[in-house]
Amino acid sequence: MSTLAGKHIVLGLSGGIAAFKSAELCRALVKAGVTVQVVMTEAAEHFMTAVTMQALSGRPVYTSQWDPREANNMAHINLSRDADAIVVAPASADFLSKLLHGGADELLSLMCLARPIDKVPLIVAPAMNREMWSNPATQRNVAQLKADGIHVLDVGQGDQACGETGDGRMLESDEILEELEAFFTPKALSGKSVLVTAGPTYEAIDPVRGITNLSSGKMGFAIARAARMAGAQVTLVAGPVHLPSPRGVLRFNVRSAREMLDAVVQQADAADVFIATAAVADWRPTHSADQKIKKDGSGQTPELSFVENPDILATIAQSLRGASGELFCVGFAAESHDLLQHATAKRLRKGVPLLVGNIGPATFGQDDNALLLVDEKGARELPHASKQALAVQLITDIASRLTR
Ligand code: CTP
């Protein structure tokens, strides 16, 4: 379940072409279990109708400080008092400037000014032309708004509605949703650095063929995302997978087990936690041919021999920082049967304090899973759930182990 479920968010729209993304954002918030109250400026109504936002949010939209529906005629007070946050998306350059100066000449800015600042956080998603964004006036405003405790989200980069290309686009609705989820997640890993391996490795036979496995990387990516939401700095070393990077995560793409080991060794010194979810190929071909191996028509098959790959988890767990516990190492075990028995033996063999078992064939490529957490005291099951929900539970469990 999303950390947003049950929240009440006031979604403010100021005037900008990015308002079309706010319709998607509104829908996504409602889907995540949020009640959404939309407030629009007059300028926003040039880009998006209140009817659309009412249909998507399921609530009448407020556009005027003189709205007679409020018995006391104080919409600016009433709307913010039970909100968990006010999110202004898009926040135009003009609206940012107005917030900075405490302007209050229409309902949205008036409501922002009138909100109880200790109780109702204000989150803004800027949206403007790249020249407007990079203008010193805007940058000064953004810096001061941050200093005033307002959460200013990043801007996106790319093609703009005006035909120019650069910084200043409003984040996409799914990116804003992710930022909001992160905002409401308790920061159990604040100040910690987490290193995650994910996906399969690919071991080349020749330039066009290789051996790999069915790991999709979804569990590792979900863990990286959950760790970042919990406030950690996250580095993700990913084998060949078709997954977008979780927001705010530093990603290194690798192909073979040896490349993965190199990347992990380089990053491990700075880490407090190492979580090895990658399904590393146990063996690689002894020789990888420089050119494609051709059939010669004789019906003879090529002779393939294999050598064992380095064990990345064991290497790190048995390093100075791993063995002393300074770097908390977590292994995964993908098994096909006798999970508890294999996971228990694997934990000891790898020399890690925590090993997470799962049934490989049942979970590869799926969006859900079930986990078995094995430590020196015994085993605890995290029952069947989405990989993202399990990742959140696992990260909470790991964080509690760091503070023991
Ligand atoms: N692992 C690793 N490097 C390897 C092999 C495995 O870092 N060369 C890590 C995996 O990321 C996982 C754990 O070790 O965290 C266990 O991986 P798994 O493939 O289940 O175990 P193996 O060591 O390959 O043992 P077996 O083949 O006997 O199941």
Side-chain angles (χ1 to χ4, degrees), residues 276-278 280-282 310-313 331-335 346 349-350:
T277 72
V280 183
D282 289 320
D311 189 318
I312 301 167
L313 176 60
F332 262 69
E335 306 294 345
K346 201 167 275 185
R349 182 152 53 81
K350 303 271 177 177

Side-chain angles (χ1 to χ4, degrees), residues 197 257 260 274-283 308-315 330-335 342 346 349-350 355-356:
T197 62
M260 187 173 273
F274 173 47
I275 308 174
T277 72
V280 183
D282 289 320
W283 310 282
E308 199 167 309
N309 267 327
D311 189 318
I312 301 167
L313 176 60
T315 306
V330 182
F332 262 69
E335 306 294 345
H342 285 303
K346 201 167 275 185
R349 182 152 53 81
K350 303 271 177 177
L355 195 115
V356 183

Side-chain angles (χ1 to χ4, degrees), residues 29 120 148 231 251 260 372:
L29 286 169
V120 183
D148 290 349
R251 173 173 175 177
M260 187 173 273
L372 189 69

Side-chain angles (χ1 to χ4, degrees), residues 330-366:
V330 182
F332 262 69
E335 306 294 345
S336 61
H337 59 287
D338 296 334
L339 186 55
L340 177 60
Q341 187 192 333
H342 285 303
T344 306
K346 201 167 275 185
R347 187 184 83 79
L348 296 173
R349 182 152 53 81
K350 303 271 177 177
V352 293
L354 177 63
L355 195 115
V356 183
N358 61 170
I359 297 291
T363 181
F364 279 168
Q366 303 297 313

Side-chain angles (χ1 to χ4, degrees), residues 84-253:
D84 291 296
I86 298 174
V87 178
V88 180
S92 65
D94 179 55
F95 194 78
L96 294 180
S97 152
K98 207 191 263 188
L99 279 181
L100 178 79
H101 292 287
D105 63 347
E106 41 68 44
L107 178 59
L108 186 57
S109 54
L110 180 59
M111 183 189 67
C112 290
L113 188 68
R115 84 190 194 284
I117 52 174
D118 299 336
K119 286 202 209 122
V120 183
L122 176 56
I123 302 164
V124 297
M128 65 199 74
N129 163 271
R130 67 190 173 108
E131 300 292 0
M132 293 165 74
W133 175 249
S134 63
N135 191 291
T138 303
Q139 289 305 310
R140 228 177 12 247
N141 290 349
V142 166
Q144 187 57 48
L145 288 170
K146 287 181 178 172
D148 290 349
I150 292 171
H151 298 265
V152 183
L153 300 184
D154 289 341
V155 290
Q157 204 261 346
D159 292 343
Q160 301 202 306
C162 51
E164 297 179 3
T165 304
D167 289 342
R169 286 164 57 107
M170 187 167 90
L171 294 182
E172 300 303 319
S173 57
D174 56 343
E175 294 173 319
I176 296 178
L177 194 74
E178 179 130 359
E179 291 295 327
L180 296 180
E181 282 192 31
F183 181 82
F184 285 108
T185 303
K187 296 293 172 268
L189 285 179
S190 174
K192 300 289 183 197
S193 183
V194 175
L195 176 61
V196 183
T197 62
T201 63
Y202 176 91
E203 313 296 332
I205 294 171
D206 68 17
V208 298
R209 306 182 183 93
I211 55 168
T212 184
N213 59 62
L214 290 174
S215 167
S216 64
K218 285 180 181 171
M219 193 68 229
F221 275 58
I223 287 170
R225 181 170 180 266
R228 184 256 168 174
M229 292 221 179
Q233 279 217 337
V234 182
T235 304
L236 176 61
V237 178
V241 292
H242 298 284
L243 293 174
S245 302
R247 273 188 72 68
V249 165
L250 178 63
R251 173 173 175 177
F252 294 95
N253 288 325

